[in-house]
Amino acid sequence: MYRLLFSLVFARMDPERAHHLAFRVIRALPVLGLGPLAERLTGPAPELGVEALGLRFPSPFGVAAGFDKDALAVVGLGRLGFGHVEVGTITALPQPGNDRPRLFRLVADRALVNRMGFNNGGADAAAGRLSRLSRRRHRPVLGVNIGKSRVTPVERATADYVRSAKVLAPYADYLVVNVSSPNTPGLRGLQELDALAPLLEAVRAAAGSTPLLVKIAPDLDDSEVVRICELVVRLGLDGIIATNTTISRAGLTTPAAQVDAIGAGGLSGAPLAARSQEVLRLIREHVPAGLCVVSVGGVETAEDVQERLDAGATLVQGYSAFIYRGPLWAREVNRGLERIRRARRAAASVA
C-alpha cells in the first residue's frame, strides 16, 4: 500500500515537503494515543537486543542523524520499532541551513541527494527537549549528533563543538562528533589528523561520562580510515560511525543530466552500500572487538542489516530507505532479522 501511496502522492511532492508531512504524522503518534498500538505492531523481539556503549539497545537497527534534526519525533520513531534514534546534526548556534530546494530523490537509484546544511534550532533550544526526553521511561536509546555552526570559522571549530557538547551531553545516551558532512564549508577538513585529534580530545573532556563516537565520510581513502581508527583507539573514544553521505556520483542509473542539474550535495541510499561495507570491514580490522562500530549507508532490508552485523557492525542505522519503504520499515527489518536468526538456529540444530 505504501508503495502505491509513494508513487501516486509523495513522489509528486517536493521531497522536503513530503518529509515534513510524514514527520508530523510520526511526531503525533504519542500525542494521539497511538503509540502503544504502534509499538505492539512494530516492536522488536527481545532476542534482537544488543549491549553496547554501556546501554541496552532493543534492536540493532536505528535511525541515522538527519531524519530528526531537532529531537522532535524521538518517541514516535521509537514506537515505530527503531532501537535507537540519533538526532541532529545540532549546532551550537541556530541556523536555517541552505536555500531550497536542498533535498532531491533519485528514485531509479533508491537514493537521495541533500545539501540541507545542518538546519536546526541550535543546542540551547534542543537541550530543553532532550532533557525531557532523557527522563522518559518509554523511549528508544537517544544519540545526539553535533556539528560545526556555519558562521564559526574552521580555526574556532573546537570551541564551537565543545559548547554543544557541554550543553547536550548530559541528556544524550551517546554523543557523536560529525566532521564528515559535505554541506558545511571546511567541515570535512577536520577529519585530517592534525585537526581531528585536538578536536576529539576537547569534546571528550566536555562530554564527561557520555560515550563519544566520531562519524566519518566514505570518501576518505583506506589509509586515512586506518589512521582515524588508530586515533580513536589512542584517545579512548567509544566508537566510530561509518559512513556519512558521499560526494561521488559514480555508478548511478539516473541520467547524468538530471544528476548534474541537482548540483552539489551528499548522496545517500543504495549507491553508497558497497563503499560503506568496505569501510566497515576496514575499521573492524583495525579496532578492538569491543569498540562500537555503527554501520550506515545503503541499508534497506533485514538482509542488508544482518550482512553488516556479520561483517562486524555493532549497530546499524538507516535513513534514505525510510522514504522508499514507509512507516513500517523498522518493523519489516526487525521481523526479517527474527526470521534470519530462527533459520540460522534451525540450520545449526540440524548440523
Side-chain angles (χ1 to χ4, degrees):
M1 181 180 291
Y2 177 79
R3 291 183 182 180
L4 180 62
L5 182 64
F6 176 83
S7 298
L8 295 179
V9 181
F10 292 132
R12 302 171 187 270
M13 296 174 63
D14 170 76
E16 189 168 352
R17 183 181 172 214
H19 170 81
H20 287 309
L21 178 62
F23 189 85
R24 283 196 292 271
V25 174
I26 296 169
R27 186 179 178 185
L29 285 175
V31 178
L32 297 175
L34 299 176
L37 176 63
E39 189 169 15
R40 284 196 295 273
L41 179 67
T42 65
E47 68 190 66
L48 294 185
V50 175
E51 300 287 339
L53 302 174
L55 304 163
R56 174 74 175 177
F57 291 76
S59 166
F61 185 55
V63 182
F67 191 88
D68 185 357
K69 295 180 181 296
D70 283 300
L72 294 169
V74 172
V75 176
L77 288 165
R79 296 293 199 183
L80 290 178
F82 293 98
H84 68 281
V85 177
E86 188 172 308
V87 302
T89 295
I90 299 172
T91 53
L93 303 174
Q95 55 189 44
N98 294 321
D99 294 336
R100 298 189 187 193
R102 55 192 182 181
L103 180 63
F104 308 86
R105 302 185 197 93
L106 277 60
V107 178
D109 291 288
R110 300 187 74 78
L112 299 174
V113 172
N114 93 83
R115 50 172 175 268
M116 303 299 290
F118 292 169
N119 53 307
N120 75 105
D124 292 332
R129 289 188 292 274
L130 292 170
S131 175
R132 292 188 292 274
L133 282 168
S134 68
R135 296 193 295 268
R136 292 189 66 124
R137 291 181 58 191
H138 298 291
R139 64 165 176 84
V141 174
L142 176 62
V144 178
N145 184 301
I146 60 174
K148 185 185 77 66
S149 304
R150 189 181 186 92
V151 298
T152 300
V154 172
E155 58 271 19
R156 287 164 49 193
T158 295
D160 191 82
Y161 278 95
V162 165
R163 184 179 185 281
S164 294
K166 287 180 177 178
V167 171
L168 300 173
Y171 312 116
D173 291 321
Y174 69 88
L175 192 70
V176 182
V177 173
N178 183 353
V179 288
S180 49
S181 169
N183 299 317
T184 297
L187 188 77
R188 284 191 168 195
L190 295 174
Q191 293 175 113
E192 297 175 7
L193 291 193
D194 288 347
L196 186 60
L199 169 60
L200 293 178
E201 286 182 301
V203 174
R204 185 186 59 178
S209 60
T210 303
L212 181 64
L213 298 83
V214 61
K215 187 169 186 176
I216 64 173
D219 306 307
L220 298 170
D221 65 38
D222 288 358
S223 63
E224 290 172 318
V225 173
V226 171
R227 287 196 293 271
I228 289 177
C229 289
E230 293 168 347
L231 176 65
V232 166
V233 173
R234 176 167 63 82
L235 295 181
L237 267 61
D238 299 280
I240 301 172
I241 299 181
T243 58
N244 212 317
T245 59
T246 180
I247 58 175
S248 172
R249 300 293 188 266
L252 294 178
T253 301
T254 302
Q258 181 180 337
V259 175
D260 292 343
I262 288 171
L267 175 73
S268 61
L272 188 54
R275 180 55 182 165
S276 181
Q277 291 181 66
E278 289 174 358
V279 175
L280 166 63
R281 293 189 177 94
L282 185 62
I283 291 171
R284 191 43 85 192
E285 290 173 2
H286 290 87
V287 299
L291 190 85
C292 181
V293 180
V294 184
S295 184
V296 54
V299 173
E300 185 162 341
T301 67
E303 289 73 20
D304 295 334
V305 173
Q306 189 61 57
E307 184 178 20
R308 303 296 175 95
L309 296 172
D310 291 342
T314 315
L315 302 165
V316 181
Q317 295 178 343
Y319 170 8
S320 298
F322 211 149
I323 283 76
Y324 298 107
R325 288 277 178 169
L328 296 181
W329 181 35
R331 180 186 187 276
E332 294 172 3
V333 169
N334 287 329
R335 298 298 179 265
L337 290 174
E338 293 163 22
R339 288 193 299 271
I340 291 169
R341 295 184 185 193
R342 283 197 300 269
R344 289 184 175 185
R345 286 196 298 269
S349 65
V350 171

